[in-house]
Amino acid sequence: MPELVFFSGTMDCGKSTLALQIEHNRSARGLQGMIFTRDDRAGEGKLSSRLGLVTDAVEVEDGQDLYAYLVDHLSKGRRADYVIADEAQFLAPEQIDQLARVVDDLALDVYAFGITTDFRSKLFPGSQRLVELADRVEVLQVEALCWCGARATHNARTIGGQMVVEGAQVVVGDVNQPDDIGYEVLCRRHHRRRMTAATAHAGALSPDVLPVETV
């Protein structure tokens, strides 16, 4: 049976790499996929991985009906054996509904890849709808690590290495950009304390060190 599958995780855990691997494996078997993306780091109409892999994709626009797009594509005699939707957290909830309809009415597998929560630890609307509708939710097994070595579970937005907790939900950036708006993955403890790699090493004494009483 066709499925709507949501592959989720933090930034830097290999979501886009897996999307490209799924595309490669299926295209190698003669299948043709429809790839949707939104605000990829490589630019408009691209699906890219930090490993340097990239392929062309359909850039999703505000208000675009993804189900109607697939129906129009198929009605013109073109093929689409499956659908990949990367950066799915940026899709509107109604567009997630449309992807679910692609599964149910067109009998196509849909593989959606996205970050679950934003830099404030709040659910992205698109990700929330995916959790509500997906046949399966798969947490990526490649663990991103916080600067302390613990498993990273939260995405932090940084400006000049300093974590910020206010601003628009969607600001396109990337990890390892200390001088501009960037992102860093942190464990929950250091996200709560707003401790990035830069701020953790800024002082001689880390706030994580417990006070020691001297006699």
Side-chain angles (χ1 to χ4, degrees), residues 61 63-70 95 98 101:
E61 300 176 355
Q64 183 176 3
D65 188 326
L66 303 185
Y67 177 81
Y69 186 94
L70 261 297
Q95 291 173 322
Q98 293 155 12
R101 189 180 178 192

Side-chain angles (χ1 to χ4, degrees), residues 2-160:
E3 290 185 305
L4 172 59
V5 186
F6 179 33
F7 295 92
S8 69
T10 62
M11 297 183 72
D12 212 21
C13 74
K15 296 182 301 301
S16 296
T17 300
L18 179 57
L20 288 161
Q21 184 67 56
I22 288 176
E23 162 65 12
H24 170 76
N25 290 352
R26 280 155 180 72
S27 63
R29 297 295 180 266
L31 300 176
Q32 294 182 18
M34 174 65 68
I35 304 177
F36 293 115
T37 191
R38 179 76 186 258
D39 294 332
D40 188 274
R41 69 183 70 84
E44 184 173 337
K46 298 293 181 182
L47 165 57
S48 69
S49 163
R50 292 189 180 89
L51 298 182
L53 305 173
V54 62
T55 191
D56 292 330
V58 175
E59 185 76 15
V60 178
E61 300 176 355
D62 290 339
Q64 183 176 3
D65 188 326
L66 303 185
Y67 177 81
Y69 186 94
L70 261 297
V71 169
D72 181 67
H73 178 84
L74 294 170
S75 66
K76 293 178 180 177
R78 300 169 182 167
R79 284 182 60 186
D81 301 307
Y82 59 93
V83 175
I84 290 174
D86 197 33
E87 306 293 355
Q89 73 273 6
F90 296 145
L91 300 182
E94 55 268 25
Q95 291 173 322
I96 303 302
D97 288 331
Q98 293 155 12
L99 291 178
R101 189 180 178 192
V102 167
V103 176
D104 297 339
D105 294 358
L106 302 183
L108 300 179
D109 284 313
V110 174
Y111 306 103
F113 299 80
I115 298 167
T116 308
T117 58
D118 64 16
F119 69 105
R120 301 164 300 183
S121 299
K122 303 295 184 181
L123 285 168
F124 281 100
S127 298
Q128 178 179 337
R129 194 61 179 145
L130 275 165
V131 170
E132 294 166 347
L133 291 183
D135 297 293
R136 287 189 290 128
V137 177
E138 301 281 352
V139 178
L140 272 291
Q141 296 302 307
V142 177
E143 292 185 352
L145 299 179
C146 177
W147 60 264
C148 69
R151 178 173 176 265
T153 55
H154 289 63
N155 306 294
R157 180 180 296 168
T158 61
I159 298 179

